[in-house]
Amino acid sequence: MTVSLEQLRRCHFAVDLGAARTRVYMRGAGLVVDQPSVAAVNTRTGALIAVGEFAERMTGRTPHYIRVMRPVSGGTVIDIEMAQRMLRHLLGDKVRRQLRRKPFLRAAACTPHDAGPLAQRATIETLVGLGARRVELVDTLIAAAVGCGLPVDRPEATMIMVCGAAATQVAVLSLGSIVAAERIPVGGEAVDRAIVQLLRHEHELMLPSQSVRPLQLALSGNGLSPHGPASTEIHGRDVATGLARSVRVDTAAVRGAIETPLTAVIDGIGRVLRECPPDLVADLADRGIMMVGGSALLPGFDHMLRQATGMPVHIAERPDICAAQGLGAMLEGRIAPLTLTPLAT
């Protein structure tokens, strides 16, 4: 963790800027924003047309002078000005008035484990533009582990896997710190692209819009799990004629298509385990891996990890909001600080 719990308790709100969704936790009010990280802009006038869910529904359906943008990529702000404008509208006038009443506004934000100085600076400037006088940065892995209830402060190993839209972060935690961690540039978007390519190459079918997650169309019921349906029907547009067409896709073929990006995640888990001391790896043999993040809900992903690693794999109760819940627990003071006092000699 890059900041102490005492400093976090002084913060008034916390922001989890993700590539897929933005979440804002306000002390005393809970989660006040949970919206897609999308903004639509009129390129002629520069005016902001829509943000959040409405802007996401506009993807692929706008005239040429309206551009749908994502100011956050992989947990890193790539367009500071647009991220500030998006956050202002997502918060709304009522919440912003409440924040402006604070005499010395403090904010907290999640950052990826391997975020460099420039990425951290971009996050800080984004929140400073909202009126924050001080911004505390928290590692996403620590926040997610706290949010899903892992005992991160104990002298025993816990393994967390944050499955995001653009990347997957894997870490082993002990005594409130990260022992070993790795960021794999494979997330839900890579899985989506694999399914889109399968449909295009084997069935000459294009999905209707980029705003509709291919997994939601391609999978039904248990989906990718071995006990799921043998095939499923998908509606799309024919590549040659441009007309609407439906095809039945073999679920086994979908499993094979996404194995390549998911294999990179399994390799990353192996590298993290090789960096850990043997005693911590022995702890993980019993406790296993905790999956959080929106892509953790991919049907059959947990089963694939169990087979590959031989360890138990668990999915958090609300995997999509674990990082925001962890930040909220720190702001509210629900986490006791770990104190290691020196022994008297």
Side-chain angles (χ1 to χ4, degrees):
M1 190 184 300
T2 57
V3 64
S4 70
L5 287 173
E6 289 298 328
Q7 292 172 313
L8 286 172
R9 286 174 182 169
R10 300 191 187 104
C11 294
H12 302 96
F13 72 102
V15 179
D16 176 20
L17 281 169
R21 298 184 75 87
T22 293
R23 298 175 177 90
V24 180
Y25 188 101
M26 191 171 174
R27 192 173 66 188
L31 201 64
V32 295
V33 173
D34 185 2
Q35 293 280 339
S37 305
V38 187
V41 182
N42 187 327
T43 56
R44 293 174 177 173
T45 63
L48 196 62
I49 303 298
V51 295
E53 293 181 356
F54 185 53
E56 189 176 46
R57 290 199 300 269
M58 293 171 65
T59 305
R61 299 181 175 92
T62 60
H64 68 279
Y65 60 88
I66 295 180
R67 181 185 175 194
V68 178
M69 305 175 60
R70 290 185 176 270
V72 184
S73 176
T76 302
V77 178
I78 57 177
D79 190 334
I80 296 175
E81 181 184 357
M82 186 54 61
Q84 291 174 349
R85 297 173 68 184
M86 179 186 73
L87 277 172
R88 288 193 193 101
H89 284 79
L90 288 177
L91 287 171
D93 294 335
K94 181 179 178 181
V95 176
R96 286 163 56 198
R97 281 197 300 268
Q98 292 176 357
L99 294 176
R100 280 198 295 266
R101 295 193 189 107
K102 309 297 182 183
F104 191 87
L105 186 61
R106 291 172 178 257
C110 283
T111 55
H113 175 67
D114 61 346
L118 291 178
Q120 294 179 1
R121 188 65 189 172
T123 302
I124 292 173
E125 289 185 9
T126 299
L127 297 186
V128 167
L130 294 178
R133 302 284 298 277
R134 183 181 175 92
V135 179
E136 312 290 357
L137 300 181
V138 181
D139 198 305
T140 302
L141 294 165
I142 298 289
V146 171
C148 63
L150 290 179
V152 295
D153 57 337
R154 298 180 186 173
E156 54 190 36
T158 55
M159 193 168 194
I160 184 83
M161 185 167 73
V162 181
C163 308
T168 300
Q169 301 178 71
V170 184
V172 175
L173 312 175
S174 180
L175 287 174
S177 300
I178 295 175
V179 178
E182 181 154 341
R183 183 177 184 270
I184 304 106
V186 173
E189 294 174 355
V191 175
D192 292 352
R193 287 193 296 268
I195 296 179
V196 169
Q197 291 175 1
L198 170 71
L199 298 176
R200 185 178 180 90
H201 294 158
E202 294 192 2
H203 301 278
E204 297 183 350
L205 192 75
M206 292 181 63
L207 292 179
S209 172
Q210 295 179 353
S211 64
V212 180
R213 283 183 60 84
L215 293 177
Q216 296 176 355
L217 297 174
L219 307 177
S220 60
N222 293 325
L224 293 180
S225 63
H227 306 292
S231 62
T232 185
E233 187 174 4
I234 298 179
H235 307 279
R237 188 181 70 184
D238 190 278
V239 173
T241 64
L243 301 177
R245 185 163 64 91
S246 301
V247 298
R248 293 204 66 85
V249 178
D250 185 11
T251 309
V254 177
R255 282 201 299 269
I258 70 171
E259 277 184 0
T260 300
L262 295 186
T263 299
V265 176
I266 295 173
D267 294 340
I269 294 175
R271 288 191 294 270
V272 170
L273 291 175
R274 284 193 292 271
E275 294 178 13
C276 291
D279 292 339
L280 294 182
V281 177
D283 290 343
L284 295 174
D286 297 328
R287 297 182 180 87
I289 306 170
M290 177 64 75
M291 297 176 64
V292 301
S295 299
L297 298 174
L298 171 64
F301 191 15
D302 56 338
H303 179 79
M304 181 179 178
L305 290 178
R306 286 191 197 98
Q307 286 187 326
T309 62
M311 295 191 302
V313 178
H314 314 282
I315 301 177
E317 185 177 353
R318 288 293 307 275
D320 51 339
I321 62 172
C322 280
Q325 285 181 332
L327 284 175
M330 297 176 190
L331 262 62
E332 303 284 2
R334 295 195 297 266
I335 306 299
L338 176 66
T339 57
L340 297 176
T341 56
L343 298 176
T345 57

